[in-house]
Amino acid sequence: MVTGTGSRPASPAPAAPGDTHPTALETELRALAGAVPDPELPVLTLEELGVLRTVVMSGPGTVRVELTPTYTGCPAIETMSEDIERVLRERGIPDVSVVTVLSPAWSTDDISAEGRRKLAEFGIAPPRPGAADGPVPLSLSIRCPHCGSTDTELLSRFSSTACKALRRCAACREPFDHFKEL
Amino acid sequence: MNDAPVTAPPRAAALALGDDALVLSHRLGEWAGHAPVLEEEVALANIALDLLGQARILLSLVGDEDELAYLREERAFRNLQLVEQPNGDFAQTIARQLYFSTYQLFLYRQLAAGDSAFTGLAAKAVKEVAYHQDHAAHWTLRLGDGTAESHERMARACGALWRYTGEMFEPVEGLEVDWRALEDSWRESVAGVLERATLTLPDGPRSGAWRAGAGRQGLHTEPFGPMLAEMQHLHRSHPGASW
């Protein structure tokens, strides 16, 4: 896997979105790659999670996909890359390269509205918006995904994965995961 | 394409940052199966995973990550002596976390605001490290302002590790950092947490003044050798092993 670290948002690649409109094929491939489910949160697609950056045909039969990790050490990124490679090869593109980019850093604000709705439906309290940097003040209440009460308390800052915190609802007493703001 | 580094990453700096993250990640991983409560076991493992992710990216900038992690001798590691210190009791692990996560937070903030080979990583990692610092600060408050026993242990741990904190502010070649400002921010932040935890900032001698040098020069403390042996033995005994 290729990992880029020094990229600057101010100097986009020649084929960055905005410079050229995606072709019909690129749009189709992006939809395919974007529909791949997150290996750890399979209710979300990669598009809804906001980790799919660009899908560009760099030559005939050659596609380059840029993916960004949620957390620096997220082990799911390797499975995501393999899944994307597989679906694009199955579509008939022989040469698929998936590269990981770090800049600009992913934020929970990149999760789509539909993604947030699905998280709550799945029993995970979605991240609060406006995660500029660091922990969001706890004064903003987090709603229990089971009963809807806002009377919830933090049990642990880290839960089943680095991106979640463990909370408990004071109303229905159920524990639940909260997708932390990042 | 846009993922090429702006300039070749300076090796000494990549090793210093990468080795800090790698070694502390391994130390925190030693808590697996031993942490006081399940939630804390998961928390420490998650922090270790964040650090391992940083280490993989940083070491890959200047070589093969596996070769660098598993095949270097002790003297070739450039991590701070602080991060190689044994876990001790839970208070000692938390004191180490407080000192180091606060350092990393302010260091990465400066690097994220600059323009170097480390800017992209720092901008990403600083958001994760903010949670590490938050975790350490809350435990420091809970232990320092807890029972007489927990207060005593937290005070002892902060004092015992203090001597390793001077080294954090010795300039590293290739890192454009205002070290004086970094130390001021660190001291103010740590002192604030300790004060709220009814503890005081230790005032003993620190490693920065040691003329022989320390971890950044490849000089390590006695517990580092055994840790490295455990970390490296599988890869060295079974080259190319995978699962």
Side-chain angles (χ1 to χ4, degrees):
Chain A
M1 187 191 325
V2 184
T3 301
T5 55
S7 62
R8 310 293 301 135
S11 54
D19 291 5
T20 53
H21 289 291
T23 63
L25 179 60
E26 284 170 342
T27 304
E28 184 196 342
L29 296 180
R30 182 176 178 108
L32 281 172
V36 167
D38 178 311
E40 285 184 2
L41 291 167
V43 288
L44 289 192
T45 66
L46 299 187
E47 190 71 69
E48 288 162 347
L49 188 61
V51 295
L52 188 62
R53 286 275 159 85
T54 59
V55 178
V56 176
M57 294 299 293
S58 46
T62 305
V63 66
R64 177 187 158 95
V65 179
E66 287 188 354
L67 199 58
T68 195
T70 53
Y71 277 67
T72 314
C74 183
I77 194 97
E78 293 180 15
T79 310
M80 292 178 189
S81 300
E82 289 165 12
D83 289 349
I84 291 174
E85 278 179 36
R86 185 174 41 76
V87 298
L88 297 187
R89 286 217 181 88
E90 281 170 7
R91 166 61 181 75
I93 309 294
D95 188 3
V96 182
S97 72
V98 182
V99 297
T100 306
V101 293
L102 296 180
S103 297
W106 180 85
S107 158
T108 41
D109 290 347
D110 297 337
I111 301 178
S112 70
E114 176 65 4
R116 285 163 198 273
R117 192 191 62 73
K118 286 185 179 177
L119 278 174
E121 198 177 277
F122 191 57
I124 298 171
R128 291 160 291 183
D133 62 344
V136 170
L138 287 176
S139 50
L140 272 172
S141 60
I142 296 163
R143 195 173 286 277
C144 170
H146 305 300
C147 74
S149 168
T150 53
D151 189 8
T152 65
E153 60 174 344
L154 181 68
L155 292 182
S156 179
R157 278 164 186 74
F158 297 88
S159 184
S160 51
T161 60
C163 59
K164 299 192 221 91
L166 185 63
R167 298 185 72 85
R168 179 168 55 205
C169 175
C172 71
R173 306 302 295 165
E174 286 290 326
F176 65 92
D177 271 341
H178 165 228
F179 206 119
K180 281 186 296 200
E181 293 76 21
L182 190 75
Chain B
M1 295 297 279
N2 66 348
D3 59 338
V6 177
T7 50
R11 186 175 167 86
L15 290 182
L17 299 176
D19 287 348
D20 280 352
L22 175 67
V23 170
L24 185 57
S25 168
H26 187 85
R27 278 295 188 210
L28 291 173
E30 291 174 355
W31 274 109
H34 303 281
V37 290
L38 185 60
E39 287 81 359
E40 208 41 44
E41 176 141 332
V42 171
L44 294 172
N46 274 315
I47 293 171
L49 185 62
D50 285 345
L51 291 167
L52 188 63
Q54 295 173 21
R56 293 187 62 182
I57 290 166
L58 287 160
L59 296 181
S60 295
L61 287 175
V62 291
D64 178 273
E65 55 179 331
D66 284 344
E67 279 181 25
L68 288 168
Y70 296 126
L71 298 177
R72 269 183 301 161
E73 303 288 336
E74 181 182 336
R75 281 288 186 111
F77 278 80
R78 291 292 179 265
N79 54 283
L80 297 166
Q81 291 183 347
L82 175 70
V83 296
E84 74 201 28
Q85 296 311 305
N87 288 335
D89 61 6
F90 190 65
Q92 178 151 327
T93 290
I94 292 302
R96 194 182 58 199
Q97 283 304 107
L98 180 70
Y99 289 164
F100 183 73
S101 63
T102 306
Y103 164 73
Q104 226 186 11
L105 182 66
F106 289 113
L107 179 63
Y108 279 172
R109 260 189 209 161
Q110 285 202 29
L111 292 174
D115 185 9
S116 71
F118 306 110
T119 306
L121 171 73
K124 179 150 192 68
V126 73
K127 302 199 293 176
E128 300 164 8
V129 172
Y131 278 104
H132 304 176
Q133 196 275 339
D134 187 52
H135 170 263
H138 276 87
W139 268 112
T140 303
L141 296 182
R142 198 162 154 188
L143 295 174
D145 195 12
T147 65
E149 169 81 11
S150 71
H151 176 90
E152 163 63 26
R153 288 206 195 191
M154 198 62 219
R156 194 189 313 151
C158 289
L161 293 176
W162 180 252
R163 69 171 84 168
Y164 301 109
T165 58
E167 188 190 3
M168 298 194 288
F169 312 106
E170 294 290 306
V172 174
E173 190 190 333
L175 286 187
E176 286 167 30
V177 167
D178 181 340
W179 299 93
R180 174 60 68 84
L182 178 65
E183 180 162 11
D184 290 346
S185 312
W186 181 88
R187 184 180 276 270
E188 188 186 340
S189 172
V190 169
V193 172
L194 293 181
E195 190 184 333
R196 283 191 290 137
T198 71
L199 298 161
T200 49
L201 198 68
D203 61 357
R206 309 163 90 194
S207 52
W210 293 349
R211 293 176 64 186
R216 296 281 190 240
Q217 288 78 42
L219 298 176
H220 295 282
T221 56
E222 194 173 343
F224 188 50
M227 190 213 94
L228 214 50
E230 184 169 301
M231 188 177 94
Q232 297 185 334
H233 94 268
L234 191 127
H235 188 92
R236 286 178 183 265
S237 305
H238 305 277
S242 66
W243 60 60

